[in-house]
Amino acid sequence: MNTNPIPDPIQAGLASGWNVIDASALDANRQFEVDVAIIGTGAGGGVTAEILSMAGLKILLIEEGPLKSSKDFKMREAQAYPELYQESAARKTKDKAINIMQGRSVGGSTTVNWTSSFRTPEDTLHYWQKNFGLQDYAPQALAPWFDQMERRLHVTPWAAAPNENNDLLRRGAEKLGISTAVIPRNVNGCWNLGYCGMGCPTNAKQSMLVTTIPAALSRGAVLLTRTRAEKLNFKGDRVDSLSCVAISADGLAPSGKTITVRARHYVVSGGAINSPGLLLRSNAPDPHRILGKRTVLHPVVLSAALYDHKVDSFAGAPQSIYSDHFLNTDAIDGPIGYKLEVPPLHPLLISATLSGFGEHHSHLMKRFANLHAIIALLRDGFHEQSVGGTVELRDGGSPVLDYPITDFVWDGIRRALLTMVEIQFAAGAKIVYPVHELADGYTSWSSAKKAIEALPYKPLFTRVVSAHVMGGCTMSDDTKLGVVSSTGRYHGVSNLSVHDGSLFPTSIGANPQLSIYGITCRLASMLAQQLTGKPAPVL
Ligand SMILES: Cc1cc2nc3c(=O)[nH]c(=O)nc-3n(C[C@H](O)[C@H](O)[C@H](O)COP(=O)(O)OP(=O)(O)OC[C@H]3O[C@@H](n4cnc5c(N)ncnc54)[C@H](O)[C@@H]3O)c2cc1C
């Protein structure tokens, strides 16, 4: 008997006859023939699937991760990270200096993200227009696409009071005259629990898992889970077929069964790192050797602090207050700017992120309820000394990101640590811990400032993390600058598109999901029209 009172749209859909195939259970190789094969079911793949299925096209969705639903989301890190994240939430850059979080289940990173929803900043779009010739990416031209996705995904500013973790950012910033604002979120009936990163247990988060993917499945799309797209096979200027492998039920290795897909058109939506990885494995045309380059991260640094009162940073909407005060202080291609937010603190993630070990670490973790953290997201990709990293293939064909942190970025990291620490003291922190292996806990702003100025800034000393991977399949109509055109079509291949965050020529300068929704909504609508010869449907 199901005692869970929360309606589960996935279980209901499966019961109604959705065509979902868990490839880990296949006992023979399989072949599929469809109009459009979409690789990846995250932000880009989900939006594309809904629009193309509304246009009447026969869609196959291919997802490496499992199909999980609210009945599986138990608010437990130990379960969520291996089941729902790339490399069990421990994906790292080649030198292991940056920890990268990306999703790996139906819904992709949207199933585990923290729901902050910002439109692409106008500065970013102007930069793309000027430097990548993306003339169609004017703020007013994109506005209707953002409107459409905001309506579809219930994006509205968070109306409830911020939790204490967020409010400390607001109060500390206010004392210093630093402006803050409320974050818009894609939620509908949110219970304010704070466990978005482990999959929403109430289905309030309007991720692709509960919105666009169910809509596509209800219109007859087929979903293959536990299926990794291995290689696009080219014939002349076309993709002839796609070779996939089934993945074992534990998600760790190929099961031995293969799946071959033939489609009129292929859309790669595996997200940054994985999309260029698939295209590199497939030897996709790359005459100017730019595939996988310009992969950007919003490198994130953090400062933790202890207060005399409880903060309970694990409870309540994870991100509801932000500040762009330090994002736009200079020209966009001047010294690197940064956005300030707070992260939800859960014991596994924060204990692995904080610096130090032994008694020092245990002392901090014992006071977990009083712990607060601020993050600074650096806006990379806009300056010649901040061109991002390069996706490479390991011997087995899996992708890895080589992301050297330049002195230009380190300078931003040092400035960001100073800002965050000053805000925490202004908010009443008793001890502040800039997260750096050689930093201490500081009890005054003056001692912290002196120490931060003197710290060495190099890989593996300062903790750097990212949950915003973008770029690697840069879009531009100039083939020397972009592997994909401004319409998302892969240059030199007539039936291949890329629809995900890997398209972006720079980082966004804001949490990227709404940029991906809006931009892929436009690209998928154009593709629907091209493939059907009819006006595209409106979501
Ligand atoms: C913990 C966390 C918190 C975040 N919080 C926010 C936030 O608050 N606001 C915000 O704007 N953004 C946030 N993000 C980022 C945001 O969710 C992503 O930028 C966005 O979802 C990326 O969309 P995408 O389509 O590029 O890729 P994804 O959403 O990552 O989807 C890619 C999918 O493709 C699948 N895939 C990849 N390769 C293959 C292959 N070869 N074969 C089959 N399947 C494949 C993957 O398993 C994955 O499911 C967060 C991300 C994380 C991880």
Side-chain angles (χ1 to χ4, degrees), residues 38-46 61-66 81 84-86 91 100-118 183-186 196-198 205 208 224 226-231 242-245 247 268-275 277-278 281 318-319 341 344 349 399 466-470 499-504 510-517 520:
I38 302 174
I39 299 149
T41 59
L61 281 152
I62 298 151
E63 171 56 53
E64 181 177 11
Y81 298 153
L84 304 178
Y85 283 73
Q86 298 287 338
R91 175 169 268 191
I100 294 174
M101 295 175 82
Q102 287 179 287
R104 187 199 190 219
S105 72
V106 174
S109 303
T110 76
T111 299
V112 293
N113 80 18
W114 300 342
T115 72
S116 301
S117 304
F118 296 94
I183 295 182
R185 306 182 64 219
N186 59 323
C196 311
M198 283 149 249
K205 173 164 50 177
M208 299 301 97
L224 271 172
R226 288 280 188 231
T227 305
R228 182 192 300 146
E230 274 295 318
K231 196 164 183 268
L242 170 69
S243 305
C244 305
V245 294
I247 303 290
V268 176
S269 302
I273 299 182
N274 287 329
S275 283
L278 168 63
R281 275 200 301 277
Q319 298 190 312
E341 293 174 349
L349 194 59
S466 170
H468 296 170
V469 198
M470 297 152 280
H499 288 187
D500 62 19
S502 71
L503 290 167
F504 302 152
N511 311 48
Q513 67 168 344
L514 185 53
S515 294
I516 302 171
Y517 298 140
T520 58

Side-chain angles (χ1 to χ4, degrees), residues 374-386:
I374 303 182
I375 50 178
L377 301 89
L378 279 79
R379 180 170 59 183
D380 55 344
F382 292 87
H383 190 277
E384 59 187 20
Q385 289 176 52
S386 168

Side-chain angles (χ1 to χ4, degrees), residues 217-237:
L217 292 173
S218 297
R219 287 197 178 83
V222 179
L223 169 63
L224 271 172
T225 65
R226 288 280 188 231
T227 305
R228 182 192 300 146
E230 274 295 318
K231 196 164 183 268
L232 295 154
N233 304 302
F234 293 93
K235 206 181 232 178
D237 76 339

Side-chain angles (χ1 to χ4, degrees), residues 172-461:
E174 193 172 66
K175 285 228 170 98
L176 298 172
I178 297 167
S179 60
T180 59
V182 172
I183 295 182
R185 306 182 64 219
N186 59 323
V187 293
N188 189 11
C190 175
W191 289 26
N192 209 4
L193 294 174
Y195 288 71
C196 311
M198 283 149 249
C200 181
T202 68
N203 296 311
K205 173 164 50 177
Q206 299 298 286
S207 67
M208 299 301 97
L209 176 66
V210 301
T211 58
T212 55
I213 304 281
L217 292 173
S218 297
R219 287 197 178 83
V222 179
L223 169 63
L224 271 172
T225 65
R226 288 280 188 231
T227 305
R228 182 192 300 146
E230 274 295 318
K231 196 164 183 268
L232 295 154
N233 304 302
F234 293 93
K235 206 181 232 178
D237 76 339
R238 292 179 62 77
V239 178
D240 182 54
S241 64
L242 170 69
S243 305
C244 305
V245 294
I247 303 290
S248 58
D250 61 11
L252 295 178
S255 71
K257 296 292 175 284
T258 62
I259 297 130
T260 308
V261 179
R262 281 181 197 280
R264 273 172 68 200
H265 198 90
Y266 299 79
V267 179
V268 176
S269 302
I273 299 182
N274 287 329
S275 283
L278 168 63
L279 291 159
L280 285 166
R281 275 200 301 277
S282 309
N283 288 317
D286 183 21
H288 300 288
R289 317 302 302 160
I290 49 177
L291 177 58
K293 297 220 164 101
R294 297 194 68 82
T295 299
V296 284
L297 290 174
H298 285 157
V300 168
V301 286
L302 66 162
S303 177
L306 283 172
Y307 291 76
D308 271 348
H309 64 281
K310 276 196 174 187
V311 183
D312 286 347
S313 302
F314 48 86
Q319 298 190 312
S320 51
I321 298 291
Y322 74 101
S323 174
D324 277 351
H325 184 88
F326 299 93
L327 191 69
N328 296 317
T329 45
D330 298 293
I332 194 164
D333 53 357
I336 198 163
Y338 45 91
K339 189 179 191 82
L340 297 176
E341 293 174 349
V342 307
L345 301 189
H346 293 279
L348 211 161
L349 194 59
I350 191 65
S351 62
T353 305
L354 289 174
S355 51
F357 52 88
E359 218 169 285
H360 160 83
H361 194 274
S362 135
H363 172 75
L364 254 184
M365 289 309 295
K366 277 188 189 138
R367 304 188 64 197
F368 176 60
N370 294 34
L371 200 60
H372 164 247
I374 303 182
I375 50 178
L377 301 89
L378 279 79
R379 180 170 59 183
D380 55 344
F382 292 87
H383 190 277
E384 59 187 20
Q385 289 176 52
S386 168
V387 294
T390 302
V391 176
E392 300 173 358
L393 296 179
R394 297 190 185 95
D395 285 348
S398 63
V400 62
L401 176 64
D402 185 17
Y403 189 103
I405 304 179
T406 60
D407 287 346
F408 172 83
V409 175
W410 284 127
D411 173 64
I413 286 177
R414 183 188 51 79
R415 287 185 283 114
L417 287 178
L418 286 169
T419 299
M420 293 188 288
V421 168
E422 188 175 12
I423 290 174
Q424 288 174 316
F425 278 118
K430 295 301 164 199
I431 313 181
V432 174
Y433 301 87
V435 184
H436 184 295
E437 283 304 326
L438 300 184
D440 235 322
Y442 304 100
T443 52
S444 71
W445 163 227
S446 58
S447 61
K449 185 167 185 274
K450 213 165 132 199
I452 291 169
E453 294 286 11
L455 286 170
Y457 290 95
K458 37 186 183 172
L460 300 166
F461 279 77

